[in-house]
Amino acid sequence: MNYSIINTISTVINYKLCEKYIVYLDTKNKLYYDNNVIDTEVDYFDVFDKKIYFEKYKKVIEFSIIEKSKNQYFELFPNGNIQDEMFLNIFDSKFENIDLGTLSYRFRLYNLNKTIIHETKKRFILGYGFWKNPYYYHSEGKNLLKSLDILKEKYLWKYSVSEIGKYTDTDNYFKPYQHEGEVRKIIGVCGDILLVIVSGGFEGKNNVSNQLIGLSCQSGELLWRLDMFDANGIRTHYGSYENLQIDEPNKRLLGLYSQGFIKVAVETGVVERFKHLSYSTGEELLRFEYKGKILTNIYSETLVGEHLYFRATNIANRRHSLSSNVIGAYNHQTETIDWLYEFEDLAPSVSIKESPKVEGNRLYALDSGGTLHIFERDFS
């Protein structure tokens, strides 16, 4: 496979993909679609169902890319993935405890024509959340996970992660202090399993790291827990689960992070594949190499088909130190790099901010200097 750069756009703060075009906000707060200015003095924007929602003067405006028209709304953004032709909106915030900064909210469930299907009468205290119609999985406080049926306005189950990752900090200057597990992030749902990252110690040791758990969406039962595991005879753990991508057709979690590739079975939590360059032992378990270029600090947040698209550092290019100066595509089936591009003209202080985004035959990469690099796939 091969991508060739076809264009660059400067002064970009943020961008999103919408159909075959991009929507982006520049440093002067101008919002663009298909290289045309939609509006000015825009604070924030998002894209849902061929519509662009943006905030201006604390009001939300909808722009239809089909009708090329604007409509003004006073509601909050449709802050949830569109599922089953519906989206979720959280609104009507209220302080439950001003000292703790605790807020409660109500929900509205809409269809794509913005007709309200359901509006909750009850209020709910929310933390990290993930919506899978009609359930809203969220944290409350640091330790508690809950499953809320929005239509019935009742909780199906709750689960405390406080015992997961609990450890005693014996290095505390004053006295030993006991830490409890905390909800770090809800990755999402695959099949009937809710995937959650929990922070805390692992294997009862005073070593703080992220762990991964799988809960039954129906009952809240803990199905499995992943902290330490064996890889090539070495007892180890994965550096970060936060960049894991859900391969839903194959019911796997896939990740590229630092110098490792991991594949986890969603139904069991078993690590099926782990390749890593271990600095602690000096034993080379993995080399990310492409045509003589050895990569480090590899990181992916984009899964499309059999490829994990990543940003990384070519360690031979010392002027970039540890900043990302290359992007590429890692084939998680063959475990090889199928494509790589190095930004040789980036200033030493500039790096690639995030993993490339892919839409159709186009690939997009934004650098920290505000330049959006646009590539097109070459099938010749």
Side-chain angles (χ1 to χ4, degrees):
M1 67 185 303
N2 184 57
Y3 286 89
S4 300
I5 191 162
I6 60 171
N7 194 15
T8 59
I9 302 173
S10 60
T11 66
V12 175
I13 296 177
N14 188 21
Y15 76 101
K16 291 183 181 292
L17 307 182
C18 185
E19 294 296 291
K20 60 180 180 179
Y21 299 111
I22 56 172
V23 184
Y24 68 92
L25 188 66
D26 72 4
T27 53
K28 295 182 179 180
N29 295 94
K30 291 182 180 179
L31 185 64
Y32 292 80
Y33 171 71
D34 189 20
N35 292 323
N36 296 312
V37 177
I38 296 176
D39 214 322
T40 60
E41 299 182 72
V42 174
D43 298 318
Y44 176 81
F45 77 94
D46 214 332
V47 176
F48 295 93
D49 185 46
K50 301 179 182 179
K51 294 182 177 66
I52 302 165
Y53 295 85
F54 59 93
E55 187 175 294
K56 180 176 181 176
Y57 305 137
K58 296 184 179 181
K59 295 178 181 178
V60 176
I61 299 172
E62 177 196 77
F63 176 81
S64 170
I65 65 173
I66 297 176
E67 300 170 357
K68 307 294 183 184
S69 62
K70 296 179 185 178
N71 295 297
Q72 184 170 294
Y73 294 92
F74 296 94
E75 300 167 0
L76 300 178
F77 282 87
N79 45 7
N81 294 327
I82 292 176
Q83 300 174 23
D84 301 327
E85 298 188 344
M86 287 182 256
F87 66 81
L88 188 66
N89 185 278
I90 300 171
F91 76 108
D92 189 19
S93 62
K94 176 183 177 182
F95 274 109
E96 296 292 334
N97 188 317
I98 295 179
D99 294 333
L100 296 177
T102 305
L103 286 167
S104 64
Y105 303 86
R106 293 164 63 202
F107 289 90
R108 284 194 183 122
L109 189 61
Y110 295 82
N111 62 20
L112 297 186
N113 294 322
K114 285 179 289 302
T115 301
I116 297 176
I117 299 171
H118 183 75
E119 180 176 289
T120 63
K121 297 178 181 178
K122 297 180 181 178
R123 311 182 64 84
F124 302 94
I125 298 173
L126 306 176
Y128 298 110
F130 181 85
W131 178 56
K132 182 84 171 179
N133 184 33
Y135 305 112
Y136 191 76
Y137 305 97
H138 70 91
S139 63
E140 182 177 310
K142 295 180 178 180
N143 315 110
L144 198 61
L145 283 164
K146 289 186 171 183
S147 171
L148 172 66
D149 187 320
I150 295 173
L151 297 178
K152 296 180 180 178
E153 298 191 32
K154 69 176 184 179
Y155 285 107
L156 302 181
W157 52 260
K158 60 182 179 179
Y159 181 84
S160 174
V161 303
S162 60
E163 294 296 322
I164 296 177
K166 178 181 283 188
Y167 71 96
T168 302
D169 183 0
T170 56
D171 296 331
N172 190 283
Y173 181 78
F174 298 102
K175 63 179 182 179
Y177 178 78
Q178 191 172 70
H179 292 263
E180 296 181 337
E182 298 181 2
V183 177
R184 175 78 175 180
K185 179 183 178 181
I186 298 176
I187 296 178
V189 171
C190 183
D192 187 41
I193 298 178
L194 179 68
L195 303 161
V196 183
I197 299 171
V198 178
S199 63
F202 51 84
E203 292 197 336
K205 299 177 182 179
N206 186 5
N207 296 314
V208 181
S209 184
N210 290 334
Q211 302 171 59
L212 189 64
I213 62 173
L215 300 175
S216 166
C217 290
Q218 299 301 316
S219 65
E221 175 189 1
L222 178 65
L223 302 176
W224 51 262
R225 170 186 173 186
L226 177 59
D227 49 10
M228 300 285 286
F229 55 90
D230 293 315
N232 297 338
I234 299 174
R235 193 70 177 160
T236 187
H237 69 98
Y238 189 60
S240 173
Y241 292 108
E242 295 195 41
N243 70 319
L244 289 180
Q245 304 297 303
I246 298 176
D247 180 9
E248 195 154 1
N250 298 307
K251 295 186 177 179
R252 297 293 183 270
L253 285 167
L254 304 170
L256 279 176
Y257 172 77
S258 186
Q259 279 128 8
F261 166 67
I262 192 169
K263 180 190 293 185
V264 181
V266 169
E267 294 181 340
T268 61
V270 172
V271 177
E272 296 182 333
R273 188 68 169 150
F274 183 70
K275 298 172 70 176
H276 191 269
L277 177 60
S278 175
Y279 286 117
S280 60
T281 64
E283 179 183 356
E284 188 173 80
L285 306 178
L286 171 67
R287 284 171 71 93
F288 284 112
E289 187 173 355
Y290 183 81
K291 296 183 179 179
K293 296 180 179 181
I294 301 175
L295 309 180
T296 186
N297 299 315
I298 193 165
Y299 191 86
S300 174
E301 301 163 302
T302 305
L303 171 64
V304 181
E306 69 270 23
H307 288 104
L308 285 159
Y309 290 84
F310 64 84
R311 58 183 169 92
T313 304
N314 176 11
I315 62 176
N317 195 336
R318 295 298 182 183
R319 72 187 183 92
H320 281 275
S321 183
L322 297 179
S323 60
S324 298
N325 61 337
V326 299
I327 58 174
Y330 181 80
N331 191 315
H332 61 80
Q333 295 179 349
T334 62
E335 298 181 8
T336 57
I337 295 174
D338 286 347
W339 173 75
L340 191 77
Y341 181 87
E342 182 170 3
F343 294 88
E344 297 179 348
D345 297 328
L346 288 182
S349 60
V350 176
S351 64
I352 302 303
K353 290 180 63 176
E354 59 189 9
S355 302
K357 296 178 183 178
V358 178
E359 179 70 28
N361 297 329
R362 295 284 177 90
L363 180 146
Y364 306 86
L366 179 64
D367 69 37
S368 59
T371 298
L372 181 63
H373 306 263
I374 305 173
F375 297 75
E376 189 167 68
R377 188 168 181 177
D378 181 7
F379 290 95
S380 61

